[in-house]
C-alpha cells in the first residue's frame, strides 16, 4: 500500500475533508474512557496532509483533560448537525507537530479490502500504556 489522498465527510455532509495517509501504517482502537464511549477507530494524519474542505462552522469541539495530564491533549471535533465525530486534533512531537486522528468510518473513498487488510493496532491508554495492546481486546 502507498500514500494517497482520500476524502471523507460526516453523515449529513456538512463537514467534508481531504487527507493523505498510507493505510499500511494501520488503524487504531484505544481503550481510554473517551475512546471506549465513542467506540473510536482512528488513523493518524500529519497536519500538513489534512485539509478541511467544508463545514468549519458546523464543527463542535470537546476538550477533555485525562487524569494526570496538565492540560487537554486533544480537541475532539464533531458535526453539530448530525453528531458524527469526524476527527480529533492536537500537537504531538512524534507526528511533527499538528496532527489529526481521523475517525476511520468517515473516510468515504477508501477501498474496503484495503481497509480490511490494513494493520489494526490496539492501544492500552486505559492503563497509560500506549506502547502495548491491552490483555483483552475483544470488545474494542
Ligand atoms: Zn453532519
Amino acid at each position: 500500500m502507498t500514500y494517497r489522498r482520500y476524502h471523507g465527510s460526516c453523515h449529513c455532509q456538512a463537514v467534508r475533508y481531504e487527507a493523505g495517509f498510507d493505510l499500511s501504517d494501520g488503524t487504531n482502537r484505544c481503550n481510554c474512557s473517551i475512546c471506549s464511549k465513542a467506540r473510536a477507530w482512528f488513523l493518524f494524519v500529519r497536519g500538513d496532509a489534512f485539509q478541511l474542505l467544508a463545514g468549519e462552522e458546523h464543527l463542535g469541539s470537546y476538550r477533555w483533560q485525562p487524569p494526570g495530564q496538565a492540560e487537554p491533549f486533544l480537541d475532539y471535533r464533531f458535526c453539530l448537525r448530525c453528531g458524527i465525530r469526524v476527527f480529533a486534533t492536537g500537537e504531538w512531537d512524534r507526528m511533527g507537530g499538528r496532527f489529526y486522528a481521523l475517525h476511520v468510518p468517515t473516510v468515504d473513498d477508501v477501498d474496503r479490502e484495503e481497509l480490511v487488510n490494513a494493520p489494526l493496532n490496539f492501544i492500552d491508554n486505559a492503563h497509560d500504556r500506549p506502547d502495548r495492546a491491552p490483555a483483552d481486546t475483544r470488545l474494542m
Side-chain angles (χ1 to χ4, degrees):
M1 286 178 252
T2 54
Y3 180 95
R4 57 162 283 216
R5 295 197 72 79
Y6 297 88
H7 298 83
S9 60
C10 65
H11 187 257
C12 75
Q13 303 289 305
V15 178
R16 290 183 294 111
Y17 65 82
E18 184 176 301
F21 53 85
D22 186 341
L23 263 183
S24 66
D25 291 340
T27 65
N28 307 279
R29 288 192 183 269
C30 168
N31 63 354
C32 80
S33 62
I34 190 168
C35 283
S36 295
K37 290 270 188 189
R39 305 291 296 168
W41 180 24
F42 57 92
L43 61 85
F44 293 114
V45 177
R46 293 176 57 98
D48 57 8
F50 178 89
Q51 189 181 8
L52 189 65
L53 300 175
E56 175 63 44
E57 71 277 20
H58 295 292
L59 279 171
S61 173
Y62 178 67
R63 292 176 64 83
W64 166 66
Q65 187 169 326
Q69 301 290 317
E71 57 186 26
F73 175 54
L74 291 169
D75 187 7
Y76 298 88
R77 307 299 304 272
F78 55 92
C79 177
L80 292 166
R81 281 173 47 176
C82 68
I84 296 297
R85 184 200 284 189
V86 185
F87 59 84
T89 184
E91 301 283 334
W92 193 14
D93 292 344
R94 209 177 107 188
M95 291 292 292
R98 166 77 39 190
F99 77 100
Y100 292 79
L102 286 189
H103 184 46
V104 172
T106 65
V107 183
D108 294 320
D109 54 2
V110 67
D111 179 81
R112 182 181 169 82
E113 288 305 310
E114 271 187 52
L115 194 52
V116 166
N117 291 318
L120 179 58
N121 309 307
F122 294 96
I123 302 170
D124 191 10
N125 273 335
H127 301 98
D128 220 13
R129 290 291 305 271
D131 58 306
R132 70 175 187 194
D136 187 349
T137 60
R138 290 174 298 171
L139 292 178
M140 289 177 71

